[in-house]
């Protein structure tokens, strides 16, 4: 199952805030033997968000969407999810209870009487309005839930909330996938060669070893190695034979080889 990530927010695209979700999600997945297949950044624009979610729902992928699920005018993700699905929005009963609990907790902490009919409290219930048929994603930080529809899961933009919510989804709903994306890499540093020269060898190794992918990571200004290429193979199966063929081909081309690595 491919795994995707959508990150919503003008503040990311403008540079006002640095995105921290992408490296963290990669780390959370790697800890479970999974890997990210794609990522997409979208500003606070309803047509663009809706288009991204139409793609996500239609992909069959496991997708996490971070940001835009609040109740302020610049939060559009809940509405766009409903539009992408062609479903109405409705107040989720369990989300309503969780949001009321959160408001009661805040009132208690502030030493004031909780008034559910106060306009700001009524407005806060909008954070529990999800596309019809959605399931909630628990929020251990402040109880205000995210939601899921199929394999697409929506969490807030705040890392302190989003990351444990993503972990919950991975562990509670997709434990059966853990380890499915784990792979082994074997590579070698190659000096004095051009990628164009090595491409036929790379293609031959892939063709001869189904399930193995060959990768090339060139560097032109490495501080210690200088200009070089890290050339290698990766696979969910043992890539030893493919790597041996790759290394033999490099030697036949007269390539100068450096450090070998296994990951």
């Amino acid at each position: 199952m491919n795994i995707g990530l959508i990150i919503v927010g003008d503040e990311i695209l403008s540079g006002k805030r640095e995105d921290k979700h992408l490296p963290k999600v990669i780390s959370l997945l790697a800890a479970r033997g999974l890997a990210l297949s794609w990522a997409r950044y979208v500003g606070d624009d309803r047509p663009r968000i809706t288009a991204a979610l139409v793609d996500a729902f239609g992909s069959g992928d496991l997708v996490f969407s971070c940001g835009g699920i609040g109740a302020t005018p610049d939060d559009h993700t809940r509405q766009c999810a409903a539009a992408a699905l062609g479903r109405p929005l409705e107040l989720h009963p369990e989300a309503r209870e969780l949001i009321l609990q959160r408001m009661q907790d805040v009132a208690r902490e502030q030493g004031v009487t909780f008034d559910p009919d106060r306009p700001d409290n009524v407005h806060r219930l909008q954070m529990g309005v999800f596309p019809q048929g959605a399931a909630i994603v628990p929020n251990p930080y402040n109880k205000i839930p995210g939601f899921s529809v199929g394999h697409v899961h929506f969490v807030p933009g705040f890392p302190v909330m989003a990351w444990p919510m993503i972990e919950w989804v991975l562990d509670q709903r997709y434990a059966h996938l853990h380890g499915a994306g784990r792979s082994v890499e074997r590579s070698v540093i190659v000096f004095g060669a051009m990628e164009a020269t090595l491409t036929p060898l790379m293609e031959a190794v892939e063709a001869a070893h189904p399930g193995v992918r060959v990768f090339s990571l060139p560097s032109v200004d490495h501080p210690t190695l200088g200009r070089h290429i890290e050339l290698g193979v990766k696979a969910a199966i043992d890539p030893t034979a493919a790597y041996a063929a790759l290394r033999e081909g490099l030697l036949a081309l007269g390539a100068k080889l450096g450090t070998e690595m296994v990951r």
Side-chain angles (χ1 to χ4, degrees), residues 45-116:
D45 178 83
R46 287 203 183 190
R48 291 185 183 276
I49 298 170
T50 301
L53 294 177
V54 167
D55 291 345
F57 287 120
S59 69
D61 295 346
L62 161 56
V63 180
F64 293 102
S65 175
C66 300
I69 64 170
T72 58
D74 59 343
D75 289 316
H76 306 293
T77 304
R78 293 178 296 105
Q79 297 89 334
C80 293
L85 291 162
R87 300 183 189 179
L89 288 163
E90 61 182 20
L91 180 59
H92 191 287
E94 189 174 353
R96 177 183 181 276
E97 293 307 311
L98 289 167
I99 295 169
L100 287 172
Q101 289 176 26
R102 172 59 180 170
M103 291 190 288
Q104 290 171 336
D105 292 344
V106 171
R108 192 178 306 111
E109 292 166 4
Q110 295 176 344
V112 299
T113 301
F114 172 60
D115 179 4

Side-chain angles (χ1 to χ4, degrees), residues 146-164:
F147 65 97
S148 301
V149 180
H151 293 301
V152 184
H153 310 278
F154 297 84
V155 299
F158 298 105
V160 70
M161 303 178 194
W163 298 348

